[in-house]
Amino acid sequence: MKSPIFRQLLILIGLAVATYSAAIDGPVGAIDFYQLYDNPEAHIGLKDRLTTADRIAAHGYPSEHHHVLTEDGYIVGIFRIPYSHKLQNQNEKRPIVLIQHGLTSCSDAWILCGPNDGLPYLLADAGYDVWMGNGRGNTYSRNHTTLSTKHPLFWQFSWHEIGLYDIAAMIDYALSTDNGKGQDAIHYVGHSQGTTVFFALMSSRPEYNKKIKTAHMFAPVAIMKNMANKLVRALGPYLGHQTMYAKLFGSQEFLPHNDFLMALLFNLCEPDFMLRPVCENTVQSLYTGGRVNMTAMPDGLATHPSGCSTDQMLHYIQEQQSGYFRQFDYGPKKNLQVYGSEEPPEYPVELITSDVHLWYSDNDAMAAVEDVEALGERLPKKSMHRMADKEWDHGDFALNHEVRVYLNEPVIAIMEEYEKANSAV
């Protein structure tokens, strides 16, 4: 889906290229490089990119990096804050929370706001065992038991497979790892695509509903009939059907991973690097409304986009064009082979029996109020949370400067209520 981070990336890349070009194109002797770059960082090259675990540990929290094997051979990376160093509760049984990112994102997105506002930190300090997932194909999930990322078959997946296999494997893994042993269920939080994959899993494999205590859907994306995003609606007629354009675009990596480019962006935007002001000025020029956590945005540039398959995007565009929440459309001939019908089947969301909380807003271009409420009507057990702020948009669920007060703390309160009500059961 369209992201403001893409625009920022283009600006930063342009600035980096312009700086490099000026250096090599200028007349000999015109630039005193030692005077200009009299900084040790300039002499040791680019730093390695920090991982989610590195960023968590930098704030004093315990952090872990796990690799989980899915049923279909993908190896996905998940990060964990097992307990709070403030509470020292590592010897206590701690409720489990799994948090899942959106499209072209990764686990880094959840910790960008820092320990005062970021949901994983707040959950850990409330006594939870926090796991942050990564869908196949992103920065932390680029491995398979038999396929290389250079093989086209590696990229033949949509968010359908992320839900059915990746999320299912993460849930089972968390429940089978030390603190999880003896626990039967977890809390789940997803943003955007992180909600889509939940709906796909719970409706297609309803036995997983019993493994969910509460589920919190930030900007839930399923039905997309009334979606207002202009780019998706413009691309719909070309990519949302079985056209030549869709065939050319499908089953490949979106914005192919480039280690040098990611390292460059990371170094530009890291707090202790000399070019951090370039990154900050770029963000300031793009966000002047005062709604975004400005401290988090440069780190967002350093970690995003994080990769995905173009089939994930095609699947969403198909949803917008059809108006239905249904499985991937391969075209009548292959649909008959895969599904036994010329049209892909709808997800039976009526089978989602877990306690689902839908958090949605009036100004979300990706998740229209009408579509979220239409989905809610079909869910057996749901709670609707319409944000009071009429300007709250899709990105605010992750990066609003008041996300702690208006979203994270209310979500934790609901989890706490569940835990207290079931502590004696």
Side-chain angles (χ1 to χ4, degrees), residues 360-380:
Y360 63 112
S361 61
D362 289 20
N363 195 38
D364 192 334
M366 306 305 300
V369 169
E370 300 91 333
D371 292 338
V372 175
E373 293 181 344
L375 172 67
E377 290 176 2
R378 296 172 57 188
L379 296 174

Side-chain angles (χ1 to χ4, degrees), residues 117-180:
D117 298 297
L119 182 59
Y121 299 113
L122 296 175
L123 283 165
D125 290 339
Y128 290 82
D129 180 3
V130 185
W131 297 78
M132 288 155 279
N134 287 284
R136 60 185 65 188
N138 85 353
T139 303
Y140 300 114
S141 300
R142 298 175 58 83
N143 291 295
H144 190 279
T145 53
T146 60
L147 297 174
S148 163
T149 53
K150 296 180 180 179
H151 198 293
L153 291 179
F154 182 94
W155 300 101
Q156 287 189 8
F157 64 83
S158 174
W159 39 258
H160 175 82
E161 286 76 19
I162 294 175
L164 262 65
Y165 303 122
D166 298 4
I167 302 301
M170 293 176 199
I171 292 172
D172 291 337
Y173 186 87
L175 288 172
S176 66
T177 303
D178 51 68
N179 175 64

Side-chain angles (χ1 to χ4, degrees), residues 27 85 133 137 192 214 237 257 356 387-388 413:
H85 63 302
S192 193
T214 67
H257 185 84
V356 178
M387 304 301 289

Side-chain angles (χ1 to χ4, degrees), residues 241-299:
H241 305 276
Q242 297 306 306
T243 65
M244 176 185 66
Y245 303 106
K247 288 180 171 60
L248 290 172
F249 185 71
S251 300
Q252 57 189 295
E253 182 177 10
F254 180 71
L255 293 179
H257 185 84
N258 184 294
D259 288 330
F260 173 77
L261 177 59
M262 295 308 295
L264 176 64
L265 292 171
F266 166 75
N267 278 266
L268 278 172
C269 297
E270 279 304 284
D272 59 346
F273 193 65
M274 62 183 177
L275 290 180
R276 172 75 171 204
V278 175
C279 198
E280 292 177 342
N281 290 338
T282 299
V283 172
Q284 289 284 354
S285 68
L286 291 170
Y287 292 92
T288 57
R291 299 182 58 81
V292 174
N293 185 321
M294 298 302 293
T295 303
M297 287 306 296
D299 293 324

Side-chain angles (χ1 to χ4, degrees), residues 11-292:
I11 293 173
L12 279 173
I13 292 169
L15 287 170
V17 171
T19 302
Y20 178 75
S21 299
I24 63 175
D25 292 340
V28 177
I31 299 176
D32 185 340
F33 287 98
Y34 283 100
Q35 181 178 355
L36 182 62
Y37 298 115
D38 189 15
N39 184 308
E41 292 178 352
H43 303 289
I44 62 175
L46 298 176
K47 296 180 180 179
D48 291 335
R49 176 181 172 179
L50 296 178
T51 67
T52 302
D54 295 328
R55 293 174 182 276
I56 293 169
H59 291 293
Y61 288 79
S63 62
E64 299 174 2
H65 187 182
H66 296 251
H67 297 89
V68 179
L69 177 64
T70 70
E71 294 176 33
D72 58 344
Y74 285 82
I75 301 169
V76 295
I78 55 177
F79 293 91
R80 181 190 189 194
I81 306 178
Y83 62 91
S84 171
H85 63 302
K86 300 176 183 178
L87 301 177
Q88 290 296 313
N89 58 334
Q90 59 267 38
N91 296 322
E92 301 174 14
K93 186 63 71 174
R94 304 171 305 283
I96 297 168
V97 184
L98 173 62
I99 310 177
Q100 185 64 20
H101 61 80
L103 186 65
T104 74
S105 189
C106 64
S107 50
D108 292 327
W110 295 103
I111 59 172
L112 295 180
C113 291
N116 292 328
D117 298 297
L119 182 59
Y121 299 113
L122 296 175
L123 283 165
D125 290 339
Y128 290 82
D129 180 3
V130 185
W131 297 78
M132 288 155 279
N134 287 284
R136 60 185 65 188
N138 85 353
T139 303
Y140 300 114
S141 300
R142 298 175 58 83
N143 291 295
H144 190 279
T145 53
T146 60
L147 297 174
S148 163
T149 53
K150 296 180 180 179
H151 198 293
L153 291 179
F154 182 94
W155 300 101
Q156 287 189 8
F157 64 83
S158 174
W159 39 258
H160 175 82
E161 286 76 19
I162 294 175
L164 262 65
Y165 303 122
D166 298 4
I167 302 301
M170 293 176 199
I171 292 172
D172 291 337
Y173 186 87
L175 288 172
S176 66
T177 303
D178 51 68
N179 175 64
K181 294 178 180 178
Q183 299 195 51
D184 299 321
I186 69 167
H187 297 279
Y188 180 92
V189 179
H191 176 226
S192 193
Q193 183 187 256
T195 71
T196 314
V197 296
F198 178 88
F199 297 136
L201 171 61
M202 296 300 156
S203 59
S204 301
R205 303 176 71 174
E207 65 273 17
Y208 271 86
N209 282 281
K210 66 182 181 181
K211 298 183 180 184
I212 301 298
K213 295 178 177 180
T214 67
H216 301 269
M217 308 288 103
F218 297 172
V221 180
I223 300 169
M224 301 174 68
K225 184 177 182 180
N226 297 288
M227 189 193 66
N229 184 277
K230 294 180 180 179
L231 178 61
V232 175
R233 299 190 77 90
L235 293 174
Y238 305 100
L239 298 178
H241 305 276
Q242 297 306 306
T243 65
M244 176 185 66
Y245 303 106
K247 288 180 171 60
L248 290 172
F249 185 71
S251 300
Q252 57 189 295
E253 182 177 10
F254 180 71
L255 293 179
H257 185 84
N258 184 294
D259 288 330
F260 173 77
L261 177 59
M262 295 308 295
L264 176 64
L265 292 171
F266 166 75
N267 278 266
L268 278 172
C269 297
E270 279 304 284
D272 59 346
F273 193 65
M274 62 183 177
L275 290 180
R276 172 75 171 204
V278 175
C279 198
E280 292 177 342
N281 290 338
T282 299
V283 172
Q284 289 284 354
S285 68
L286 291 170
Y287 292 92
T288 57
R291 299 182 58 81
V292 174

